[in-house]
Amino acid sequence: MGKLRPEKEEHLAPCHTRRPRSLWNLLLLLWTFLNCGLGGNAQGPGEWTPWGSWSRCSSSCGRGLSVRSRRCIRFPREELCWGDTHEYRLCQQPDCPPGAMPFRDLQCALYNGHPVLGTQKTYQWVPFYGAPNHCDLNCLAVGHDFYHSFGRVLDGTPCSPGAQDLCVAGRCLSAGCDGLLGSDAREDRCGRCGGANDSCLFVQRVFRDAGAFAGYWNVTLIPEGARHIRAAHRSRNHLGIAGSEGGGAPLAARIPRGGRWQGRGDGQGHFQGARADPSLAALMGGDGRYVLNGNWAVSPAGTYEAAGTRVVYTRATGPEETLRAAGPTSQDLLLQVLLQEPNPGIEFEFWLPRERYGPFQAQAQVLGWSPRQPQPREVEPQPLESPTVIPPRTPIPTPEPCPPCPDTRGRAHRLLHYCGSDFVFRARVLGRVRQAQETRYEVRVQLIYKNRSPLRALEYVWAPSRCPCPPLALHRDYLLAARRLISPDGTQDRLLLPHAGYARLWSPAEDSRVRLAARHCPL
């Protein structure tokens, strides 16, 4: 990202006593008097101006980038503003016409016929991708065995042919799901950019049923909108995907008595004549057609298109078989298995939007089983097991409202917790679970100011109360001061957020105050 340059700063006048001639001058004079006339020192960072508008796309076709900027306004004794002066985002133009010259080729071609290397000799230049820095304009002299670097490529140049990353200020940057280059924003399992997996539910089960005869048996309905689909088993049975026209579930089909499997060396085959050996699972789309492993034939391993997503079907040398699909699915799919031997268990899982879970339950009843209750993101993973009947829950008394938290503002409070804590870091709150008289937060560590032992990217932070003070809101960034708590027997190692401790919403100003606090801790 862009760096702050001295010429981009705007200094306000130092302590002055010129008589104001407007309300604005009066306010500025009052501010100057409070910070200068009383002997105070202007500390902390300056203030950013609002972001400017986005520029036009750097490319006339294909992928490019737009940029916007801001300026730092500060007094002479203030620190520089924290953050970047420029922000870049992807922009998508119509596809380039066939035969159009790529952007990097065009930049090299600008030097064709011009003398370089201190001689009058000229060359024709084409891109060279074997140099260390892909964001330098490295061009190969046509018909010669040398290349020359003409400096940086223009912003928005792809780092390499076919790459999604773009060069910005000499660095190769990838875009987050928010479209900003250099961003670490990623989609959660629900498909939400920067989400915390709280808008969908995790459905997971092991299908252990076995019919009285060999044939196709329903395993599960995979509803429209499902993501991160996975199904696997270890047996001579085979998985597959099917569907039914009009949304109904096809019934199990039976192999004729005395049928046999006619296979080929490439793993494909069909049932014919005598008794079959392998068993097969099938995947069918919503139009009633099998996507793979249907009509008594084993499909080859590979990638298949189904319901708007790609299904990757792998079959190992042994009895292991796996189906994976990123989703989201655009229509219902039906996972089936063609049983030819006892079923050792078929594991399947997927993430489903909360609003689709009710219809999914109703449709699943048609398949003859009741799925295990899906687990929200905040619930600990449970071991795979067959579905059980869940008894009705007894009403839980409403807990008493939480009392107000004590005031924890002020410089002294910040110094006390910064200097006395084992860890001070910036983190985003992803999840919250209340357990008995404790509250557990799942956080993503983004920036570490102080640590006495390594921190992982994802951590749990514990607050010793059902009503933690201060409370942390989901999907917000905080500056946290935590202590390390290890149980006497060594079985628990926790990050503890003390009651009325230091937990403040992150902001550039608070970031600067924390950095200043670090200078005042005793050695």
Side-chain angles (χ1 to χ4, degrees), residues 436-510:
Q437 295 302 312
E438 294 180 310
T439 302
R440 189 196 71 192
Y441 296 101
E442 183 181 4
V443 301
R444 178 188 292 124
V445 178
Q446 297 178 324
L447 180 64
I448 300 175
Y449 300 85
K450 173 185 177 182
N451 63 310
R452 294 183 178 174
S453 60
L455 285 174
R456 296 171 297 179
L458 293 177
E459 290 279 3
Y460 286 132
V461 177
W462 297 81
S465 174
R466 187 184 63 83
C467 298
C469 283
L472 306 185
L474 293 177
H475 320 313
R476 302 294 298 274
D477 288 0
Y478 287 88
L479 284 171
L480 303 175
R483 297 176 183 174
R484 187 179 185 185
L485 180 64
I486 303 177
S487 62
D489 58 1
T491 58
Q492 289 186 346
D493 186 354
R494 291 181 170 183
L495 296 183
L496 180 67
L497 183 63
H499 185 74
Y502 178 79
R504 302 188 186 180
L505 285 170
W506 184 91
S507 67
E510 191 64 23

Side-chain angles (χ1 to χ4, degrees), residues 394-441:
T394 57
I396 300 175
T398 304
E400 297 181 0
C402 295
C405 292
D407 189 1
T408 57
R409 293 174 296 180
R411 180 172 177 269
H413 181 268
R414 184 185 304 106
L415 281 174
L416 174 66
H417 285 278
Y418 186 97
C419 300
S421 297
D422 299 316
F423 306 93
V424 179
F425 54 93
R426 174 186 173 185
R428 166 159 288 200
V429 180
L430 303 180
R432 177 183 61 231
V433 177
R434 291 185 174 90
Q435 300 178 349
Q437 295 302 312
E438 294 180 310
T439 302
R440 189 196 71 192
Y441 296 101

Side-chain angles (χ1 to χ4, degrees), residues 207 210-219 252-253 335-339:
F207 176 79
F213 56 85
Y216 284 101
W217 292 87
N218 297 324
V219 176
L335 182 67
Q336 293 184 325
V337 61
L338 178 54
L339 293 175

Side-chain angles (χ1 to χ4, degrees), residues 43 79 82 415 418-419 512 514-522:
Q43 296 183 354
E79 295 183 3
W82 295 101
L415 281 174
Y418 186 97
C419 300
S512 176
V514 166
R515 295 177 188 272
L516 292 174
R519 305 175 187 174
H520 296 85
C521 291

Side-chain angles (χ1 to χ4, degrees), residues 194-484:
N197 300 336
D198 55 357
S199 64
C200 59
L201 297 176
F202 184 44
V203 179
Q204 187 181 55
R205 184 177 178 265
V206 178
F207 176 79
R208 300 188 186 276
D209 300 343
F213 56 85
Y216 284 101
W217 292 87
N218 297 324
V219 176
T220 183
L221 180 73
I222 302 174
E224 177 184 352
R227 294 175 180 266
H228 303 285
I229 304 161
R230 177 183 175 273
H233 73 104
R234 293 181 60 86
S235 72
R236 289 188 300 168
N237 303 325
H238 294 266
L239 289 174
I241 300 181
S244 59
E245 201 165 1
L251 300 176
R254 179 178 181 273
I255 298 176
R257 183 182 301 275
R260 66 179 177 86
W261 171 259
Q262 182 65 42
R264 301 200 300 266
D266 59 1
Q268 301 184 67
H270 62 279
F271 291 99
Q272 185 180 54
R275 182 180 180 276
D277 256 347
S279 298
L280 175 74
L283 188 67
M284 185 187 290
D287 56 0
R289 298 179 181 178
Y290 282 100
V291 177
L292 60 92
N293 290 344
N295 301 321
W296 321 108
V298 179
S299 304
T303 302
Y304 295 81
E305 297 289 336
T309 187
R310 291 185 175 182
V311 179
V312 180
Y313 174 49
T314 58
R315 195 168 61 244
T317 305
E320 187 172 358
E321 191 178 49
T322 305
L323 288 176
R324 294 179 183 272
T329 54
S330 59
Q331 62 183 26
D332 293 349
L333 292 173
L334 184 64
L335 182 67
Q336 293 184 325
V337 61
L338 178 54
L339 293 175
Q340 282 296 297
E341 67 179 23
N343 177 22
I346 299 172
E347 302 174 8
F348 64 85
E349 62 186 46
F350 51 85
W351 292 78
L352 192 62
R354 288 180 178 269
E355 65 272 12
R356 296 189 182 274
Y357 182 66
F360 163 62
Q361 279 185 308
Q363 290 176 295
Q365 302 299 326
V366 180
L367 301 181
W369 54 268
S370 178
R372 194 183 89 174
Q373 291 294 324
Q375 301 299 324
R377 179 64 179 86
E378 299 175 350
V379 176
E380 292 289 342
Q382 301 294 327
L384 298 176
E385 59 183 10
S386 298
T388 56
V389 178
I390 301 176
R393 296 183 178 180
T394 57
I396 300 175
T398 304
E400 297 181 0
C402 295
C405 292
D407 189 1
T408 57
R409 293 174 296 180
R411 180 172 177 269
H413 181 268
R414 184 185 304 106
L415 281 174
L416 174 66
H417 285 278
Y418 186 97
C419 300
S421 297
D422 299 316
F423 306 93
V424 179
F425 54 93
R426 174 186 173 185
R428 166 159 288 200
V429 180
L430 303 180
R432 177 183 61 231
V433 177
R434 291 185 174 90
Q435 300 178 349
Q437 295 302 312
E438 294 180 310
T439 302
R440 189 196 71 192
Y441 296 101
E442 183 181 4
V443 301
R444 178 188 292 124
V445 178
Q446 297 178 324
L447 180 64
I448 300 175
Y449 300 85
K450 173 185 177 182
N451 63 310
R452 294 183 178 174
S453 60
L455 285 174
R456 296 171 297 179
L458 293 177
E459 290 279 3
Y460 286 132
V461 177
W462 297 81
S465 174
R466 187 184 63 83
C467 298
C469 283
L472 306 185
L474 293 177
H475 320 313
R476 302 294 298 274
D477 288 0
Y478 287 88
L479 284 171
L480 303 175
R483 297 176 183 174
R484 187 179 185 185

